[in-house]
Each structure stands twice: as structure tokens, then as C-alpha cells.
Amino acid sequence: MMHGKAKGVILGVLMALVAACARGGATPVAGLPAEAQTVIRERGLSPEDVVAALRTYVPGGKYDEYVMFASGGHSGQVLVIGIPSMRLLKVIGVFTPEPWQGYGFGEKGTLEVLAEGFARGKPILWGDTHHPALSETEGEYDGQFLFINDKANARLAVIDLRDFETKQIVKNPNAISDHGGGFVTPNTEYVVEGPQYAAPIGWEYAPLDQYKDKYRGLLTFWAFDRQKGRVDPDRSFQIELPPYWQDLCDAGKKVSYGWVFCNSINTEMATGGIEEGNPPFEAGTAKNEMDYLHIINWKKAEELIRAGKYEVINGIKVIRLQTAAQEGVLFFAPEPKSPHGVDVAPGGEYIVVGGKLDPHVTVYSFEKIQKAIAAGNFERDPFGVPVLKFEDVKEAQVELGLGPLHTVFDDKGYAYTSLFLDSAVARWSLGGPYRKDGAEPWKLVEKLPVHYNIGHIAATEGDTVSPDGKYVVALNKWSVDRFQPVGPLHPQNFQLIDISGGKMRLLYDMPIGIGEPHYAQIIKADKLKPFLVYPEIGWNAVKMAKDPNATEAGRERVEVREEGGRRVVEIWMTAVRSHFKPERVKIRKGDHVIWHITNIERARDATHGFALGGYNINLSLEPGETATIEFDADQSGTFPFYCTEFCSALHLEMMGYFLVEP
Amino acid sequence: MMERVNTWLREDPFRLPRAFFIGASWLLLLSLLFPYWRMTLQAPQYPGGLRVDVYVTHLAGDVSEVDNLNHYIGMKKLHEAAQVERFLAPLAIGAAALLGEALAFTRRRWAAVLALPAMLFPFIFLADMYYWLYRYGHDLDPNAPLRLPPFTPPLLGTGVVGQFRTVAELQLGFWMALAASFLIALGLHFRRVVRTALERRQAVRLGPLTLVPEGARG
């Protein structure tokens, strides 16, 4: 009741605010509460504030129009955020255990997923998540899967968007770290994982004075099996690259379908070593006037794989550098030094490279690239890779400001580039087929200040062949004075910008309580079709199928058997409001315990937790889910287990005793 | 049109009541496919409410969720109720419909009793429903976590139990059975009218219809 009333008041206030602003006066509008004026005055709101508040306000019970998937940065997780409300909807555990979802706290399936990502058996329980990538069908987000990479450990994760849970982590067998990871080809044939810091392939050792011979870049094409919802390493392949520090990548689309573009930042092949009197990396890698845009024909690479022109290294097919250079898989084009983002325009005709140290974005024409390749008018780099002539492939250079990094697109022929040093978003006009309105092509139109140090930028449906052009989100590294201070570690700031009108408008500042979030993608909410409860009672969320150990009501039981000279106790348990059955499990110290729990609820949101103190076990059982835990009862004692989700009035009584006799 | 109906009736005046009886028995049979009764439970955390549909043969809707909630007050599981009735119902309806059908093909006076099962069916259903509602609300497990004074959930209309507002309504199946009842009553009425007219050799008219022409013999 209170809720409804409060909502009514807030709505009334906002409506009054708008009406007042539209009139530009201070008279309350008939039918709207005078309280609106009081609120404006008391809170010192400007007319822009009021409009922004209205634009982002989404009442409870109404859903957001878009959903943003943002990397959770060092948390190793993924953030799910509603747009335009900028409400945090979920934190998906990916490379890191996530207690609320019971991800990585005893549940066998999620432990197995996390273990897939261990390096040489060594547990890695964090990730530096960078680039979330939504699965695509014909260049459009299809709302089925999400991929994200871990830069620190060269891993890629698959999240199923039916339940927003992580299903698979693949550890790159030949790369230690990656950066240009999580980019899909237009039908999700492959998820592309680019490298960054060159290293000997396959986690080998080589001294730095053998940099040119032994250090390499590596581009991985993870084949995705949509039916299984898993990356298939057997159909995946890698391409060996020179040690040029390949950075971000983007897949060609429409006219440039079949190609992938990556930039690079160390054609100098600097190896650092300030302590030995060498120039530091920051100077050493920025000496050359030009680095190389990498132009990769993955359709051709597939042909080479079919033709057997690869080597298998650590279980994955690798096209060697020389083969790639000779067989027309790999080409370079010069790009102004140390660029950052590389982004393909919606129609695939243009490739935009952010200058970073150069105030321009450089625009390459795919058509010109094809002509230059066909003409054979190129030289080769020291590794034999064809280098196309800059003038042959360049379409335009647009001066935007300081520190252009990443570019996204709208539906009106404009591009939006983040300017790190300027702390601004630049809107500029594309040319060619995008300029039907007759406005001047390849020109800066407008700059909007953001707060502060913007890195990535995301647009609604912005990486697809048909961006929506409604919102852009600036992902800012610094927030400095934007929020209540919470100590020296300031929140980072996602700023929502309305790009639908003639002028860009800043609408909302959203502090992110975990860092350092990186990239994001924004999908239209109605493309997501998640389960509301699991489709069957006894659902295994990792296998996405009915679990053979699902327990039905009335068939709960405890079985004890001998296996290899020790007792194995297997428990089939149900959870329902407000009891576990069985409620008592009595075993002996040293027993091996296999414990299956099925939540037999069918009601939406009737989730039960299962916590077993002292054994580091914490599960989340969504309606219909079956989970299995397995452990050695190595401590005797009396352990209460209990439901961790306040499920009903008798939630506190939803418990039982796990008795381990000494 | 009317002339054709009159010609048809002139050949056999009992055709009119017969049509009512046959229509009624089919209506009754068809009602098997539709719910007779519905209870909707409304509470804040269930936007849209929880629904239990009662067919004469089975239950449908949010039965397990309602069972889940009912266990707090020690109520038995819904599907355990009226098992005998639900097993017998299709047979009973079939039999009642057959008797109705038989009634259509006899002219004997005593045969009116054949109509009784079909006519009474909807009322028997309601009485039985009330019986089970009463039992379920009174036969509560004394060891239940929540103890309520015995109650009878509403057979029709609204009641309140705990945080739930329960609304009970009749559904299409019941209305079909009731319509069958009504049709049979009409049939019986016309059967008597026709019979009396034939005995007295009087004409009977209903608006433009001539049910029995003057001087016809029974």
C-alpha cells in the first residue's frame, strides 16, 4: 500500500516538473501536485536535471527497454544493467566464485566450469574481464549467448542467456594473456580471441633477446556450437602473428563478411628494460610513425585448415605465420602509431581505427583494401606479411580531439568516438552510403564532455548491422567529484547519453561498485527470452538438461555403500517451502559424501539456498534445479545446514542436521 | 421456413421435446471437456493470482503451488479429494446422457424419471463440491505449523484465509450442465403438452408454430 502511494507521489512530482519546465515558469500546473515545485526548489534541480530524471525513470513493474551486459573488470564477473534506468539487475559469476548464485561453492557443475579455466591445474579465481560479446545471427544480436574474455589468463567464457549463468570456460592452450577477446563473427561461427603482449607460443620460456625469433602474437578463432551452447576446441584454430602486440579486433560484416580486423601497438618490437638503460615500453612502443592494421581472411584460413596446412600445438590447430602470409590469410595496412579501437561500420564498408596518440580516427575502405590486395601492390614486412600502401586503402581521417579510442554507431550515419584525454564523446559523420542527408561527410559534428577519462563506449545494438541510435553509455575510468566519496578507491562511472535527438544529452551517472569494468554491449530487452523457472523439475543448470540424480518428492533417501575400502554416503534430498527432506543426515568421519538436492518448487522466484557451515558449501537452487555436491567428511561434529534464501514465513525453520560421528 | 418446421412437426409432434432431450444429453457430454468451478487465490506476492480449475474428471492450474501453501495450515493435497467422484463422473455423465437419449425415444409416461439423473447432475456436483470444501477446511492436520480454526472455503463468492483472498466462480462446464438441465425440463414440459393435446385432439400453437394440429391422434 505504502509502496503504491509513494510511487504515485514520485510520478506526480516528475510530471509536474516537466510541465513546469516546458512552460519555463514557476506556476504549478493544474492537476499536478504543488509539491513538485517544492522538490525542484529544495533539491536545487535545473530544468535539464528534471528532464533527465524523467527520461531515465522506469517505475517498478515496468521493464527497461534495453539490457546492457558490462564486463565486471577485476571482479571477473559480468554486470547486467537495465537501460535507461541504469538499475543493476544481476552480477553473473564468470571467472570468480559468486556466492549468491552458489557459483563455485561446492556445486559440482560450477566447480567443474571454474576448473576448466585453471591453468595447468593451478586454480585461478579471478579474471580481468574485458569484452562481452553477444551472439549474433546475420549480424544482429540474437539474445542467446554472451561471451567474455579474461585478459590476465587468456580465457574465454560462455554464458547462456536462458538462465544468465556461465556454462563453459576455455583456457587458451597457447597464450598466457589476451586482450582483443570476445568478438563474434556475424553468425557466431567463431568467437575471436586476440592476443596482446607477445610471448613464446605455448607458454614456453625464451630470453628477450630472442624476441623477434621466439616471441609471437596469436589470434584464436574459437568455433562455437550453438546447438550444444559450447565452444568446440576441435573445430577451432589459431593464426600465428608477428610479435607486434595485436590489440583489439572486430569482425567484418555484410560486405566485409569473412574478414577480421585487429590493430597493433608495438611494431617496434620494443622489449623494455628501463633498469638496463633502455627506453621504457611507453616510449619504445611509440617510436614508429605507423603500426599495422591486421587484415585477416578467416574464410581463407578455414580453407587452409581443411587443406591440412596447419600444425597442432598443445591440441589446437595453428596456421603458422609464414603460411598465413603466403596464402592470403594475413595482410597489413599502416595505421597511425599506437592506435586503440578498431570498429567496423554497420554495413561493413569501413573500418575505423582510433588514434589514441593521434587526434584523428583513420577510416579504411574495405573495397580499397580488396583492390589493393588484388593489384598485388604491396611490400612485405620482415616476417613476409604483405603490407598494403596507406594511401591505397585509406578512405578518410577525421580530426576529433585528444585520445580517440573506441567508436560505436547509430542509425543516422553518425559515429561516436570516446576521447580519453579530452574526456568527451565525439559525434562525427560517416560518408559514402551513410550520407543520404547531404551533410558533410567525415566531419566532427559535436563533442559532449563526460566525467572523466572515458575508455570504452557502448551504443544500443551498436555493434550490429542495424544500430538503434537511442543511447550511448560512456564507461569512465575516473569519477573524481561525481559521487559521495567512499575512500580513495572511487567508484567508476557509467554515464548514459541520449543520442536520439539533434544534440547529445547526458542523462545519468551510474557508479559501479566494482572495477575496472571495461566494455559493454546493449541489446534490446525483448530479444532476451530467459527461463522464468527451469523447464523441468530436476534441471541441471550446467548441462542444461534433466539431471539423472533429480529427486522426486517421496523418493528422498540416503544410501551407504562400500567403495574402494571406504564408506560412500549418497543422499537424494528435496527442498521445498519450508523443509529439506531428509532433515537429518548421520554419517561417520572419513565417509565420502555425494549429496543431490532438488528444488521441487514450480513457483517463480521460489529459490532455496543450501548452506553447510564448516564445509565451505553454499548452493543456490532455483525452482526446478538439481545440484550435486561431493566431499570427504574430514571433520566430525554437528553441522546445521539451512536455507539461505528467505523463502517463506518458516524459512528459519528450513534446516537440518548433518551429524558426523567421530 | 416456418411452414417446413410445421410440416415436420405435423408428421410427429414428439419431435420437439425429442430435440430438447438429445440437445441436452450432448451438452452434458460436452461439459466433460470444460472446467465446472474455479478458485482464484489472490495475495500480494502472486500478481495475477493462483488458480485451480475443477473439471469433473481432474484438477488443473496452479495445483501444486496451492498444495505447497496449504501445507502450512495442514490441508491435504488437492488431488486426493473426490477421487471416487472423479473416477465415476464420466461414467455417470455418460449414463445420464444415455438415459436422456432413451427418454427421447419413448413416449411412456413413467419414462420422465429417466430425465432425473441428467437434470440433477449440476446440483449434485455443487453439493459434492461443498462437501469436499467443508472436509478440507475442517480436517486440518493438528501438527501443522500454522493452526487455523476450522473453516469452509467459499463455494461461490469471496472468502479470506490468511493473506489470501479466495474467489470461487462457476465455469463454462457447469453452465453447460445447467443448460442441459433446463433443456430437459423444457423437453418434459413440451412432452406433456403434446401428450395432453393428442389425447384431447386439441390444437396447440406456440407463436407461429403448430405443435399439434387440430384433431391429431396420439
Side-chain angles (χ1 to χ4, degrees), chain A residues 421-596:
Chain A
L421 299 173
D422 272 358
S423 282
V425 171
R427 174 192 254 176
W428 53 279
S429 58
L430 297 167
Y434 296 94
R435 260 313 36 92
K436 294 185 184 98
D437 60 4
E440 196 179 339
W442 313 122
K443 191 163 166 40
L444 174 67
V445 177
E446 186 195 355
K447 266 205 245 188
L448 180 81
V450 292
H451 315 282
Y452 303 90
N453 286 12
I454 179 174
H456 269 282
I457 183 171
T460 43
E461 299 263 323
D463 291 321
T464 70
V465 294
S466 60
D468 280 7
K470 283 209 167 171
Y471 301 104
V472 148
V473 174
L475 285 69
N476 306 328
K477 306 297 179 189
W478 285 13
S479 62
V480 190
D481 57 353
R482 304 297 286 182
F483 306 110
Q484 167 70 31
V486 287
L489 184 60
H490 297 344
Q492 303 205 334
N493 188 6
F494 284 7
Q495 286 188 306
L496 181 71
I497 299 164
D498 181 352
I499 56 161
S500 61
K503 284 260 176 212
M504 291 189 278
R505 279 195 296 188
L506 193 55
L507 296 182
Y508 196 82
D509 280 27
M510 179 196 188
I512 300 296
I514 52 177
E516 180 231 58
H518 218 83
Y519 185 46
Q521 284 195 328
I522 307 170
I523 185 173
K524 217 159 160 23
D526 59 16
K527 287 186 176 176
L528 298 166
K529 302 273 186 287
F531 293 148
L532 302 178
V533 295
Y534 279 116
E536 285 182 62
I537 293 181
W539 195 258
N540 181 318
V542 173
K543 299 212 157 59
M544 285 303 238
K546 176 122 176 177
D547 194 305
N549 282 304
T551 320
E552 284 169 35
R555 306 212 44 204
E556 300 90 349
R557 63 204 186 276
V558 179
E559 289 174 8
V560 181
R561 58 178 185 267
E562 288 283 327
E563 235 171 63
R566 68 172 177 174
R567 276 174 27 122
V568 173
V569 180
E570 190 157 9
I571 304 142
W572 286 268
M573 177 182 266
T574 57
V576 71
R577 277 162 290 168
S578 322
H579 54 270
F580 294 105
K581 193 177 173 188
E583 286 186 326
R584 293 181 193 167
V585 176
K586 198 169 140 191
I587 68 159
R588 291 183 217 145
K589 187 179 172 188
D591 288 356
H592 184 69
V593 179
I594 305 170
W595 198 327
H596 314 286

Side-chain angles (χ1 to χ4, degrees), chain A residues 148-397:
Chain A
I148 189 156
N149 74 313
D150 162 21
K151 168 167 169 168
N153 305 293
R155 297 184 292 175
L156 183 85
V158 180
I159 297 162
D160 194 319
L161 294 180
R162 280 174 293 176
D163 63 356
F164 288 54
E165 289 190 7
T166 305
K167 303 300 173 191
Q168 184 187 22
I169 294 176
V170 280
K171 169 78 190 90
N172 195 311
N174 288 327
I176 293 177
S177 61
D178 67 26
H179 183 224
F183 297 95
V184 301
T185 52
N187 288 306
T188 322
E189 297 96 335
Y190 296 99
V191 189
V192 180
E193 184 194 5
Q196 184 148 64
Y197 307 122
I201 285 181
W203 212 320
E204 297 294 326
Y205 170 77
L208 279 165
D209 56 19
Q210 295 175 18
Y211 187 86
K212 199 184 153 191
D213 295 333
K214 296 283 173 66
Y215 283 61
R216 286 294 178 265
L218 198 64
L219 189 64
T220 307
F221 286 78
W222 291 113
F224 185 63
D225 184 331
R226 201 186 281 267
Q227 230 54 47
K228 292 194 180 126
R230 298 288 186 277
V231 159
D232 179 1
D234 289 343
R235 289 195 297 115
S236 306
F237 62 89
Q238 301 186 313
I239 300 174
E240 180 188 2
L241 300 172
Y244 294 158
W245 288 20
Q246 293 75 20
D247 193 23
L248 291 173
C249 302
D250 198 7
K253 47 195 151 193
K254 291 202 157 172
V255 294
S256 52
Y257 177 77
W259 295 72
V260 159
F261 309 93
C262 307
N263 59 0
S264 63
I265 50 176
N266 183 17
T267 44
E268 297 83 354
M269 296 191 278
T271 56
I274 328 180
E275 63 285 354
E276 291 169 22
N278 294 332
F281 273 113
E282 61 175 5
T285 60
K287 221 161 66 192
N288 292 352
E289 280 312 306
M290 289 289 188
D291 285 302
Y292 291 139
L293 173 69
H294 289 42
I295 301 163
I296 293 132
N297 185 342
W298 62 262
K299 281 283 175 194
K300 184 80 192 171
E302 278 184 333
E303 282 174 30
L304 296 189
I305 294 291
R306 274 196 296 272
K309 295 183 179 171
Y310 60 80
E311 280 174 36
V312 175
I313 304 176
N314 290 329
I316 189 164
K317 302 177 182 99
V318 181
I319 298 176
R320 300 311 304 232
L321 175 54
Q322 212 185 356
T323 316
Q326 295 303 322
E327 302 271 356
V329 166
L330 178 64
F331 301 90
F332 290 155
E335 54 186 0
K337 72 173 173 190
S338 306
H340 195 44
V342 55
D343 297 285
V344 178
E349 315 87 341
Y350 302 117
I351 300 106
V352 179
V353 173
K356 193 168 86 176
L357 300 182
D358 178 294
H360 298 89
V361 285
T362 303
V363 182
Y364 297 83
S365 153
F366 181 71
E367 196 185 334
K368 289 182 180 175
I369 289 171
Q370 293 305 306
K371 275 189 189 150
I373 291 173
N377 186 17
F378 46 70
E379 289 160 11
R380 288 181 186 271
D381 86 329
F383 296 92
V385 182
V387 182
L388 311 176
K389 292 198 164 38
F390 185 59
E391 288 308 320
D392 288 353
V393 294
K394 182 196 82 174
E395 180 72 27
Q397 282 191 294

Side-chain angles (χ1 to χ4, degrees), chain A residues 54 88 95 130 143 211 263 398 418 434 454 517 557 575 628 661:
Chain A
L54 278 168
L88 178 65
F95 298 108
H130 268 239
Y211 187 86
N263 59 0
V398 190
S418 55
Y434 296 94
I454 179 174
R557 63 204 186 276
T628 296
E661 294 176 327

Side-chain angles (χ1 to χ4, degrees), chain A residues 576-579 601-603 648 650, chain B residues 46 64-65 68-69 71-72 145-146:
Chain A
V576 71
R577 277 162 290 168
S578 322
H579 54 270
E601 302 269 6
R602 297 313 284 155
S648 74
L650 294 167
Chain B
Y46 293 98
S64 61
E65 184 60 14
N68 240 342
L69 295 167
H71 97 274
Y72 287 112
L146 278 172

